[in-house]
Amino acid sequence: MSENNLADAEKRRSAAKGTTVDRMDSSDSTDLEQPLIEQKSRSPSPTSDSSSSKGAIQNAREEVVKNGKVLGACAFYSFCSVSMVLANKSLASSYNHLIEGDLNILLVVFQAIVAVIAVELCKALKWVEYPSFSMETAKEWAPVNICFCAMLFTGMASLQYNSVPMVTVFKNLTNIVTCAGDWWFFGNAPERLVILAFCIMLAGALMAAWNDISITMTGFFWMMLNCLSCAAYVLYMKFATKSVKLSKFGMVFYNNLLCMVFLLPVAIYMGQIKVFFSTEAIHTPDYFGKNFFAGLVGFLLNFASLNCVSLAGATTYAIIGSLNKIPLAVLGYFIFDTIISNETWFFISVSMCGGFLYSYAKLTTATSRKEESGKK
């Protein structure tokens, strides 16, 4: 082999070694750099930390705002429910020594006027929607409204002759009458737990009435009539709404408008208008303010009910409705200086426990029906 050939072979070997070394260097550098790249990619950046913390803070704020709205809705509903009864109790019984007779029907008319003005104002401001007045709708809704008027009048009369705690307890008996009517007319049989709740409510109410030294046959009569009229209103409305389609505030409008039409002539015939104008002792800001407040709160109760159901749910709404009876009974006892024995308080508590059990039973039934419909 010549010297030239040997030199060429040597060059080729050195070139091959260089290529191998270059590849090894390249491979080593890649292997060394790769973990660093992955480590950099895996390590959280300050930007992502700050954005996640901001998101958590934002979620916490939204949760606080949501809980605040729910508590506010429940408190507003409870306030309207309790204060309306207390205001009506004051109007029905606190001015009797100034009036010859009573003004119960006229008081209902006053509050109906306030409710109509309030609902029409809300409609003008586009806060609520319902169809304009229709004579055909009024005729179809008139039978329901007769029950509504009877419910309001007997409620005012029962507050005049009975203490607030006793009226609160006997309001639970309305559920028994309503459930019996629902079974008789619509075939909806009550569950066993509901029947047990009814027995507890009835026993507690009757024993409370038996031990209440202030109750009279007149007061008992008006309470029973109020329970019947309330149940009749609920049951007939359930039947009427199948043919007459009205929104909640449409019902408020027609109920109170027709209430004025039906009860104002009765108030005039019974001389209550004459008694009102001739009794100057009740022409006070206090008396007019309570009438306005009771009518306005009665209207706002519709808003409060819808708001509580939409924000808190039907379950919470039902529970609040049951719990309202506790502050109502206690406040009525202290505000109006009611004389109630310890035994009567015990039986009132028993009847209230029956009311709580009834609410629980109805909620359990509604939940099970939803689950069954979901499976289907």
Side-chain angles (χ1 to χ4, degrees), residues 169-249:
V169 165
F170 272 86
K171 279 287 186 182
N172 282 333
L173 301 187
T174 302
N175 295 324
I176 300 178
V177 181
T178 304
C179 190
D182 197 27
W183 171 69
W184 181 263
F185 293 108
F186 301 102
N188 298 323
E191 296 78 12
R192 292 182 180 178
L193 192 58
V194 171
I195 295 175
L196 175 62
F198 286 162
C199 293
I200 296 173
M201 284 191 292
L202 182 60
L206 292 178
M207 292 304 295
W210 183 265
N211 285 273
D212 188 3
I213 59 175
S214 64
I215 196 169
T216 62
M217 288 305 298
T218 303
F220 188 79
F221 168 77
W222 284 116
M223 279 196 296
M224 290 296 97
L225 209 57
N226 182 244
C227 290
L228 292 173
S229 59
C230 288
Y233 172 68
V234 172
L235 293 170
Y236 197 86
M237 185 172 62
K238 185 176 181 179
F239 170 76
T241 48
K242 294 180 180 180
S243 58
V244 183
K245 301 299 179 183
L246 284 175
S247 64
K248 183 129 181 133
F249 290 99

Side-chain angles (χ1 to χ4, degrees), residues 19-168:
T19 304
T20 304
V21 172
D22 290 341
R23 287 175 180 169
M24 290 176 64
D25 293 341
S26 175
S27 176
D28 292 342
S29 65
T30 304
D31 291 340
L32 290 171
E33 291 173 2
Q34 186 69 25
L36 294 175
I37 295 172
E38 291 177 359
Q39 188 176 358
K40 289 179 181 178
S41 63
R42 289 173 186 170
S43 62
S45 63
T47 306
S48 62
D49 284 345
S50 61
S51 61
S52 62
S53 62
K54 287 180 180 178
I57 294 173
Q58 183 66 25
N59 291 336
R61 286 177 179 173
E62 290 177 356
E63 191 68 22
V64 170
V65 171
K66 181 181 178 182
N67 292 336
K69 288 182 178 179
V70 171
L71 290 174
C74 294
F76 184 51
Y77 166 65
S78 182
F79 168 78
C80 291
S81 178
V82 172
S83 58
M84 184 181 68
V85 176
L86 294 178
N88 282 332
K89 170 62 178 176
S90 177
L91 288 169
S93 62
S94 299
Y95 299 90
N96 289 344
H97 62 288
L98 303 174
I99 303 171
E100 294 182 5
D102 64 73
L103 300 177
N104 291 335
I105 294 178
L106 190 60
L107 291 176
V108 174
V109 174
F110 284 158
Q111 294 177 22
I113 293 172
V114 173
V116 169
I117 294 173
V119 74
E120 282 288 281
L121 180 61
C122 290
K123 182 182 179 182
L125 295 173
K126 301 189 183 302
W127 293 350
V128 300
E129 291 184 3
Y130 57 88
S132 300
F133 177 79
S134 169
M135 184 59 71
E136 291 298 321
T137 304
K139 289 179 181 178
E140 292 176 346
W141 195 252
V144 181
N145 187 256
I146 292 174
C147 297
F148 177 76
C149 293
M151 179 182 69
L152 295 182
F153 169 67
T154 56
M156 194 73 72
S158 64
L159 285 170
Q160 178 182 353
Y161 292 102
N162 298 284
S163 65
V164 173
M166 289 304 300
V167 171
T168 303

Side-chain angles (χ1 to χ4, degrees), residues 169-364:
V169 165
F170 272 86
K171 279 287 186 182
N172 282 333
L173 301 187
T174 302
N175 295 324
I176 300 178
V177 181
T178 304
C179 190
D182 197 27
W183 171 69
W184 181 263
F185 293 108
F186 301 102
N188 298 323
E191 296 78 12
R192 292 182 180 178
L193 192 58
V194 171
I195 295 175
L196 175 62
F198 286 162
C199 293
I200 296 173
M201 284 191 292
L202 182 60
L206 292 178
M207 292 304 295
W210 183 265
N211 285 273
D212 188 3
I213 59 175
S214 64
I215 196 169
T216 62
M217 288 305 298
T218 303
F220 188 79
F221 168 77
W222 284 116
M223 279 196 296
M224 290 296 97
L225 209 57
N226 182 244
C227 290
L228 292 173
S229 59
C230 288
Y233 172 68
V234 172
L235 293 170
Y236 197 86
M237 185 172 62
K238 185 176 181 179
F239 170 76
T241 48
K242 294 180 180 180
S243 58
V244 183
K245 301 299 179 183
L246 284 175
S247 64
K248 183 129 181 133
F249 290 99
M251 294 180 190
V252 173
F253 172 71
Y254 278 99
N255 273 337
N256 287 282
L257 184 66
L258 293 176
C259 188
M260 293 162 48
V261 174
F262 289 149
L263 293 185
L264 184 59
V266 177
I268 295 172
Y269 174 78
M270 295 182 66
Q272 293 189 7
I273 298 288
K274 183 179 179 181
V275 171
F276 172 75
F277 282 109
S278 62
T279 309
E280 296 183 359
I282 62 174
H283 298 168
T284 61
D286 175 70
Y287 189 78
F288 288 109
K290 286 179 181 177
N291 270 288
F292 177 78
F293 177 78
L296 185 61
V297 168
F299 164 71
L300 289 176
L301 185 60
N302 297 280
F303 271 113
S305 300
L306 292 175
N307 195 35
C308 186
V309 171
S310 63
L311 290 177
T315 302
T316 305
Y317 172 76
I319 293 172
I320 295 297
S322 297
L323 293 176
N324 280 344
K325 293 180 175 61
I326 298 175
L328 181 59
V330 174
L331 288 173
Y333 171 74
F334 284 106
I335 292 175
F336 301 103
D337 297 327
T338 308
I339 300 174
I340 297 180
S341 64
N342 293 332
E343 292 81 4
T344 304
W345 271 121
F346 172 75
F347 291 119
I348 288 174
S349 302
V350 170
S351 184
M352 286 185 177
C353 289
F356 298 148
L357 182 61
Y358 171 75
S359 299
Y360 171 76
K362 297 300 288 183
L363 291 172
T364 304

